Amino acid sequence: MAAAGSATLRDIALLAMLAGGYLWFLRAGRPASASTTRTARYRRWLARAPLAFGATALLALAVSGDLAALYVLPDALTGLVDPARRIAGLGNDPRQIQAAILAALVVSGLIGLAIARRWTQRGSMLPRRMAGLVPQRRTELGWATLLAMAAALVEELYFRLALPLLLARATGSASGAMAVATLMFAYAHRGHGWPGMALALLTGATLALVYLATGDLWFAIVAHALLNLNGLVLRPLLTTPRGAAREISSSAATRS
């Protein structure tokens, strides 16, 4: 009984630490001024998110003795595997599920690219607050690439593993824990406005299904990275006219 009580207190303390990192990220992530460059926004995010999400998640896993969960789905979440696979409708073989998901990412990426190319002459197809994060100059693509990959790593560690794992233990509800983590993931994107939060909610729920259906956190990280790279790097690289890049960037900065 004493061991169980101390474990519960430990998990509550670790949840408080995770909540502190989340709140610090939100407070430090207030909207940038119109004069803030896109590169400065990338740098500011890269200075906050790895500490708020990545470092707190890894510390929580280390202190709770759950570092093995980086490679094996933790027991507290295994009850969600069968429901996730039923929802995904891709069978029960993790390898087949991964292959189907990768194929879907490729197909959806190509469709999105085709739509984006058709909209190029009409302006951005994204709401202004979301479009402000998309690189408009090729010199910004390196920072966007780094952000896309870092976001996939630290956000999956935090929102798909550490936070729902500790919440599930504290509340006894794995499904409720994953739902809360997904809602918090969406709210962390509040700087993109309501359309951005709605998209983040859909993305977060999808990535939770990917993680649970495959039982592979690193595959979820790869899927998340591919989604980010498609939106932040590949699509702008292939749809932004070279000669108009500087003009587009200046115009976007003026409107923001």
Side-chain angles (χ1 to χ4, degrees):
M1 294 294 292
S6 62
T8 300
L9 290 175
R10 179 194 62 194
D11 289 345
I12 292 174
L14 293 175
L15 279 171
M17 179 190 69
L18 291 175
Y22 183 82
L23 293 174
W24 174 72
F25 177 83
L26 294 181
R27 288 177 60 86
R30 293 171 180 171
S33 65
S35 61
T36 304
T37 66
R38 193 171 286 103
T39 298
R41 295 174 186 175
Y42 296 153
R43 289 175 175 172
R44 188 173 67 170
W45 190 95
L46 287 166
R48 299 188 331 265
L51 290 175
F53 299 142
T56 58
L58 287 174
L59 181 58
L61 293 172
V63 173
S64 64
D66 288 307
L67 286 176
L70 293 171
Y71 305 100
V72 180
L73 188 70
D75 291 341
L77 301 179
T78 54
L80 299 178
V81 171
D82 287 341
R85 289 178 177 175
R86 285 197 297 270
I87 293 172
L90 299 174
N92 295 317
D93 186 337
R95 296 295 182 186
Q96 291 182 358
I97 296 173
Q98 289 176 348
I101 291 171
L102 288 175
L105 287 172
V106 171
V107 172
S108 62
L110 291 174
I111 293 173
L113 177 61
I115 294 174
R117 289 178 72 90
R118 289 180 63 87
W119 277 76
T120 298
Q121 300 302 322
R122 306 181 189 182
S124 175
M125 60 186 293
L126 294 173
R128 186 176 65 181
R129 293 176 71 177
M130 291 178 65
L133 192 63
V134 177
Q136 299 294 327
R137 297 180 179 179
R138 291 177 182 264
T139 55
E140 297 170 346
L141 289 174
W143 285 104
T145 300
L146 182 58
L147 185 148
M149 297 177 69
L153 176 61
V154 303
E155 290 177 354
E156 292 305 302
L157 284 172
Y158 186 98
F159 293 104
R160 246 63 70 188
L161 178 55
L163 181 60
L165 172 58
L166 292 174
L167 278 174
R169 285 182 181 161
T171 64
S173 173
S175 58
M178 192 62 75
V180 169
T182 301
L183 289 172
M184 289 177 63
F185 174 77
Y187 190 69
H189 294 78
R190 78 198 192 294
H192 299 164
W194 286 106
M197 285 195 292
L199 180 60
L201 181 63
L202 177 61
T203 302
T206 301
L207 289 168
L209 280 178
V210 168
Y211 172 45
L212 295 169
T214 63
D216 190 337
L217 177 70
W218 295 96
F219 182 78
I221 291 172
V222 169
H224 193 161
L226 290 175
L227 287 172
N228 287 349
L229 289 169
N230 177 58
L232 286 177
V233 180
L234 180 61
R235 197 175 299 169
L237 182 65
L238 297 179
T239 59
T240 302
R242 293 186 180 184
R246 290 182 178 275
E247 180 179 348
I248 293 173
S249 178
S250 299
S251 176
T254 300
R255 292 195 303 268
S256 63

